[in-house]
Structure formats: structure tokens, C-alpha cells
Amino acid sequence: MNFQEYQVMEATKTTKRGLVLEGGAMRGLFTAGILDVLMEEGVTVDGLVGVSAGACFGCNLKSGQAGRVLRYNLRYAKDPRYCSVWSWLATGGLFGARFAYHTLPDRLDPFDTEAFTRSPMEFHLVATDVRTGQAVYRHLDKGGSELYDWILASSSMPVVAKVVEIDGGLYLDGGITDSIPLRYFQGQGFGRNVVVLTQPADYQKRQMSYMGFLRWRLRRYPELVRALEQRYVMYNEQLAYIAAEQAKGDTLVLCPERTLPIGRVSHDRKRMRETYHLGRTLAERQLSRIKEFLQE
């Protein structure tokens, strides 16, 4: 191959376009609003990576189910099987694992597993190995129980959720070890990425005030405790990296203009709608910019 042929080959390579979705539990309804606008407008990407709620809500992009996230959250907001202290006491999880991650997607508001499997879009998620305190990444192409189990693992917050066992491994929330996995996705060949955050641009994470309790509660997993102790450092470093990547022009960041009107856990349907519509409004306002960025 001569130099001119090499130049042509390099110029015709396709840069994969990706979505990187932060978690945040119910703050993820902001992300759901953005994703619904993208689906309605026919905006596509080659793959997405989600963490916690980013994975739980983001999977609906691959299955093409606009509106589903808001619909089932509104419908089951006050159902004790979905999210409640009763669920925490009865099942070990604030969000009922069997109900939220199997009964609901299988029967009550069916997740389109066939559409998910047919879609060429790549779907990745992040969980945390509680034994090693390291991030674990999964690329999942098929809908069904394995997908639900890994989404549960990625979304299971320490203390308010049970450790999730999958094939002998023990996992919790992916946000503990890789909250915004832009570097990971770049390493998978995604050269142009839209990053969706659920905190404002000026947000900086602080060390958790209840770290002492977590050290005691999770004392069986010392490497997980170390990861939790350093989470705020990791998160703020990722924000700095994302800002630098955005300045280069290969990353587009979408985030709320102010702190979202909802906490990590909420049963307030009004706040759910408001958070969702803030995401929609931002996506509609930035739609031309998003399309131009992904088409470059």
C-alpha cells in the first residue's frame, strides 16, 4: 500500500458515534426526556454506554420505545413493590429487584426484547465488582433476563440495595467506579460522543458525609470501601477530562442548566414530569446542534 492509498483508507474510516449516559436514579428522567426527543426526531447513534439509571433508562433507546420511561415511572411511582421502605425491608432493595427488573418489563409495561436484539446499536453498561472495587464493563446485544440482571447490578446503590450475584460475581452500582465512562467508550472506538449529565455544568462532587457508616456497613468489602472513599476524586477528574474533550470538538455535553427539581428517590409525579420535560426542552433547543455534531 502506497502513501496515497493509506491516506484514502484513513479518510474513509467511519468514526463511531456514541452516547455516554450518567446515572443519578430519578434524575435520569432528565436523560429520558432527551432520549425521547432523539427517538422522535430519528436521531441515531452507533452505541451507548449507561451507568445505573443511564443504563436502566437508556436501554429504551436501543429498543426504540419512546415515552416508556416516563410512563412506567408515573404509573408505579407510589406502588410499594416498585420503590418504598416496605420493599427495602421485605426484599433488601429500596427498588424491588424482582418487581422493577422482571415483573414490570416482562408483563406490566413490556420491554421490546426483540427490537432491542434486532437493533444494530451497541449497548454497554458499567457495574462495580464489590470484591475488587473495580469497574466491570458489559456489552449486551440481547434483551431478556441477562440484560435485566446486569442493569440491576449497574443500578444497585450501596446499602439501599442488595449485592447482585451474576455467574459467581458480586456487583453494585457502576457509578462507584466509573460514573461517566467517556474514556471507556473512546477506547471502544467511539470517536464522537454526546455525554448526558444529570448535574449542572458547575457541579463538583464532595466526599459523602456518611462515609463512616459506609465503612462499617460494607466492611466485608474493603476494596469497595476504598472505591467509595475516592469516588468524589474520580468523578471530579472525569468532569475535567470531559471539559477538555469538549474543547477539542469531539465531545458534546448536554446537562441541566440548574440543579434538577428531583432527588435520587422520589414519588412525586409532578417533579417527575418537570424533570423529564427539562430534558425534552434542552434536547429540542439543541436539536440542530446535536444533529450537526453527530453528522460531522
Side-chain angles (χ1 to χ4, degrees), residues 21 26 33-34 36 49 51 62 80 87 107 109 150 157 160 174 178 182 186-187 232 255 288:
L21 308 179
M26 297 310 293
I34 292 173
D36 280 359
V49 57
V51 182
K62 182 170 163 63
S87 174
R107 294 194 289 107
D109 197 325
W150 277 105
M157 297 180 287
V160 296
D178 195 350
L182 175 60
Q186 290 172 331
Y232 76 104
C255 64
S288 296

Side-chain angles (χ1 to χ4, degrees), residues 7-294:
Q7 284 183 311
V8 171
M9 181 188 73
E10 288 296 304
T12 56
K13 279 184 178 178
T14 300
T15 297
K16 290 199 292 185
R17 304 158 304 151
L19 269 173
V20 180
L21 308 179
E22 182 185 13
M26 297 310 293
R27 293 199 310 269
L29 286 169
F30 173 81
T31 303
I34 292 173
L35 298 182
D36 280 359
V37 170
L38 298 184
M39 282 187 267
E40 292 161 9
E41 294 293 330
V43 179
T44 60
V45 292
D46 300 303
L48 72 87
V49 57
V51 182
S52 192
C56 187
F57 297 165
C59 63
N60 294 276
L61 181 67
K62 182 170 163 63
S63 65
Q65 292 178 274
R68 180 173 178 268
V69 172
L70 181 64
R71 181 176 65 241
Y72 75 69
N73 274 286
L74 291 176
R75 183 175 298 168
Y76 298 104
K78 298 185 179 182
D79 190 316
R81 298 172 298 172
Y82 183 49
C83 177
S84 66
V85 174
W86 176 87
S87 174
W88 189 12
L89 296 174
T91 71
L94 190 64
F95 288 87
R98 172 56 52 183
F99 180 81
Y101 294 93
H102 289 280
T103 303
L104 196 158
D106 282 339
R107 294 194 289 107
L108 300 179
D109 197 325
F111 180 71
D112 194 337
T113 58
E114 292 184 3
F116 181 94
T117 303
R118 287 196 309 267
S119 170
M121 183 187 302
E122 295 184 31
F123 179 81
H124 300 241
L125 57 72
V126 188
T128 295
D129 186 316
V130 302
R131 291 174 174 140
T132 66
Q134 299 294 315
V136 174
Y137 304 92
R138 297 292 297 184
H139 177 191
L140 297 154
D141 287 327
K142 296 180 180 179
S145 293
E146 182 184 15
L147 173 69
Y148 303 155
D149 288 344
W150 277 105
I151 290 176
L152 170 61
S154 180
S155 305
S156 291
M157 297 180 287
V159 180
V160 296
K162 294 171 63 177
V163 171
V164 178
E165 181 175 355
I166 304 175
D167 297 330
L170 300 177
Y171 305 99
L172 280 175
D173 188 350
I176 298 168
T177 47
D178 195 350
S179 297
I180 317 166
L182 175 60
R183 279 195 185 95
Y184 164 75
F185 229 32
Q186 290 172 331
Q188 298 300 305
F190 290 85
R192 295 187 70 76
N193 293 285
V194 176
V195 177
V196 180
L197 305 179
T198 58
Q199 296 283 12
D202 61 352
Y203 177 77
Q204 289 283 291
K205 189 176 285 294
R206 299 178 181 179
Q207 189 172 40
M208 290 175 285
S209 59
Y210 52 95
M211 196 60 232
F213 171 73
L214 290 176
R215 290 189 189 99
W216 171 80
R217 185 69 175 81
L218 301 169
R219 60 193 179 278
R220 292 178 56 195
Y221 307 112
E223 296 303 323
L224 177 67
V225 171
R226 290 189 184 94
L228 284 164
E229 289 173 335
Q230 293 299 307
R231 185 186 180 193
Y232 76 104
V233 176
M234 172 271 296
Y235 185 92
N236 293 335
E237 188 278 331
Q238 288 186 332
L239 290 179
Y241 178 77
I242 289 165
E245 291 300 293
Q246 182 166 228
K248 292 178 183 178
D250 291 333
T251 299
L252 175 63
V253 177
L254 301 176
C255 64
E257 295 176 351
R258 62 185 186 276
T259 301
L260 292 170
I262 198 167
R264 295 179 67 86
V265 178
S266 177
H267 304 288
D268 189 324
R269 292 186 175 98
K270 181 179 178 181
R271 291 182 184 273
M272 290 181 183
R273 290 189 183 95
E274 184 180 356
T275 302
Y276 170 82
H277 283 291
L278 285 171
R280 283 196 65 95
T281 300
L282 177 67
E284 289 164 354
R285 192 169 66 242
Q286 297 284 341
L287 188 59
S288 296
R289 185 181 176 206
I290 295 168
K291 288 181 176 180
E292 181 180 353
F293 174 80
L294 291 173

